[in-house]
Amino acid sequence: MNYKIIEKDNKIILKDMKNFEPKHIFECGQAFRWHVEEDGSYTAIHKGKVINVKREGRDVVFSNTNRSDFENIWFNYFDLGRDYSKIKEELSKDSVLKEAIKFGQGIRILNQEPFEIIISFIISANNQIPRIKKSIELISRSYGEYIDTYNGRKYFSFPTHDILADADIEDLEKNHKVGYRAKYIVNTSKMIKQGKIDLDSIYSLSTAEGQEKLKKFPGVGPKVSSCILLFAFNKDNAFPIDIWVKRIMEYFYLEEDTKLKDISKFANKKFGDLAGFAQQYLFYYARELGVGKKNKR
DNA sequence: GTCCAGGCTTTCC
DNA sequence: GGAAAGCCTGGA
């Protein structure tokens, strides 16, 4: 890797770390549990550990952690084994991506926990990011376990599929603000609890095969399954098409009202194995620009 | 078999 | 009042 690791005072510091910008990573819509602190750092919980991340000049500082957890948990979570300079160089051959990467140069794709991501993206359908975050927080507080307090804020683990399989649908719907998605959450959790679909088996499947399997869950369609594959199962060629990506793809590459399947085919052909990374740069770019609002018919 | 319209909870702008 | 990281159902 292109950086040096220093450990001190319950912190891990990566010196001269490139391609790592907390704002880009945590606000490109892939993760919903990162809380921004007053000093611009971000705090979240993953695998029963609370961590705080901050960029300080040329370095990135990880607080409330140690060498062992960093190597065993966070190295993989933050995708630190991957060469993002190479990915950006390859994608920059396309002029649109070259511009998009200027906006979100510090984006990385996190490796998150499958069950939490499945439920999070079921909630994301026809929803807004602030509200998605709120629902996930409420669910964790009610059904997860208290783990730690950091900077005055309590952190709770995301509940297991066994817990959510037995949750009350009306309680989720009303008190946790997920609305009609509540039954999808409970029924998906039940399918996993009953062993109808083995999540671990998806790691070794192709993207297309994994997508077919995930779409068996209620509330999971083409877009949500693509997100799950990209953000939890390491499928780099998955290309989730939400309203923003649809707009920006039509704006720069295709005509308006292109069918989702055709956008998908185009993206896979154009970006190939890097489609997932391209999607993240494009999504961030589209939202920064507000593409589509001005472009709308 | 594919395609498409309409409905869905609630919050945010 | 419209839109929001869409999906499900029913009918053509």
Side-chain angles (χ1 to χ4, degrees):
Chain A
M1 292 307 298
N2 258 344
Y3 54 79
K4 237 172 39 178
I5 295 187
I6 295 175
E7 178 181 19
K8 66 169 184 182
D9 305 334
N10 216 26
K11 290 179 198 288
I12 294 288
I13 302 167
L14 301 185
K15 304 290 287 182
D16 287 332
M17 182 63 192
K18 291 176 183 167
N19 303 319
F20 193 118
E21 189 58 52
K23 181 179 189 294
H24 297 167
I25 297 170
F26 307 134
E27 295 187 15
C28 64
Q30 62 176 321
F32 300 109
R33 301 196 74 193
W34 285 90
H35 171 72
V36 60
E37 309 280 359
E38 283 185 5
D39 65 355
S41 67
Y42 288 80
T43 311
I45 177 168
H46 168 72
K47 289 198 173 175
K49 305 281 181 179
V50 174
I51 196 168
N52 175 270
V53 184
K54 187 180 187 189
R55 173 162 278 282
E56 292 184 0
R58 299 165 62 89
D59 306 336
V60 178
V61 179
F62 300 82
S63 301
N64 202 36
T65 190
N66 55 51
R67 186 90 184 210
S68 161
D69 282 351
F70 193 78
E71 287 174 355
N72 294 325
I73 298 174
W74 303 113
F75 184 88
N76 178 58
Y77 178 84
F78 287 110
D79 207 23
L80 294 175
R82 195 187 299 276
D83 185 353
Y84 278 79
S85 292
K86 197 173 165 187
I87 291 169
K88 287 154 72 173
E89 187 185 330
E90 183 65 29
L91 287 175
S92 290
K93 291 176 183 170
D94 178 84
S95 61
V96 175
L97 258 297
K98 188 173 184 178
E99 198 60 27
I101 288 168
K102 283 183 190 167
F103 281 78
Q105 54 80 18
I107 285 175
R108 308 182 76 83
I109 297 185
L110 302 171
N111 292 306
Q112 304 182 73
E113 295 195 272
F115 181 65
E116 179 174 336
I117 286 296
I118 289 170
I119 302 303
S120 297
F121 280 91
I122 286 175
I123 294 170
S124 79
N126 194 22
N127 211 337
Q128 299 157 298
I129 290 177
R131 217 185 119 211
I132 300 164
K133 285 184 174 176
K134 191 177 204 175
S135 287
I136 293 169
E137 172 72 15
L138 289 169
I139 289 171
S140 299
R141 281 180 177 264
S142 297
Y143 294 96
E145 288 178 24
Y146 169 72
I147 299 294
D148 199 2
T149 295
Y150 187 89
N151 201 12
R153 190 181 173 90
K154 290 182 178 176
Y155 288 85
F156 295 79
S157 64
F158 193 80
T160 63
H161 53 79
D162 286 336
I163 298 282
L164 285 185
D166 294 329
D168 181 61
I169 291 179
E170 196 172 333
D171 177 53
L172 284 175
E173 185 180 330
K174 301 284 194 309
N175 301 328
H176 301 80
K177 314 290 183 189
V178 300
Y180 63 91
R181 307 168 191 87
K183 56 183 180 293
Y184 302 154
I185 294 173
V186 171
N187 290 334
T188 291
S189 303
K190 280 184 176 163
M191 284 171 71
I192 299 170
K193 184 181 180 183
Q194 292 162 359
K196 289 187 177 171
I197 292 178
D198 173 25
L199 294 184
D200 286 337
S201 70
I202 296 175
Y203 284 105
S204 57
L205 298 179
S206 72
T207 301
E209 291 166 340
Q211 186 154 31
E212 284 316 301
K213 198 163 237 186
L214 287 168
K215 279 164 68 178
K216 293 186 170 137
F217 290 124
V220 178
K223 191 272 175 182
V224 171
S225 57
S226 300
C227 286
I228 297 167
L229 290 166
L230 182 59
F231 302 140
F233 288 106
N234 223 358
K235 305 298 182 200
D236 305 332
N237 59 349
F239 191 83
I241 304 170
D242 72 301
I243 185 69
W244 291 99
V245 172
K246 181 173 189 294
R247 282 177 189 156
I248 198 167
M249 290 298 288
E250 290 176 348
Y251 186 80
F252 285 115
Y253 300 108
L254 302 159
E255 55 186 24
E256 285 184 38
D257 298 325
T258 304
K259 287 175 187 165
L260 293 178
K261 269 192 180 174
D262 294 329
I263 298 177
S264 182
K265 280 182 194 166
F266 178 87
N268 282 315
K269 193 171 174 187
K270 186 157 192 68
F271 305 124
D273 289 339
L274 299 179
F277 300 100
Q279 192 271 1
Q280 285 294 280
Y281 293 119
L282 288 169
F283 177 76
Y284 192 85
Y285 185 39
R287 285 177 64 100
E288 290 289 307
L289 286 183
V291 175
K293 292 185 172 174
K294 61 186 175 189
N295 182 37
K296 205 171 172 185
R297 230 182 264 219

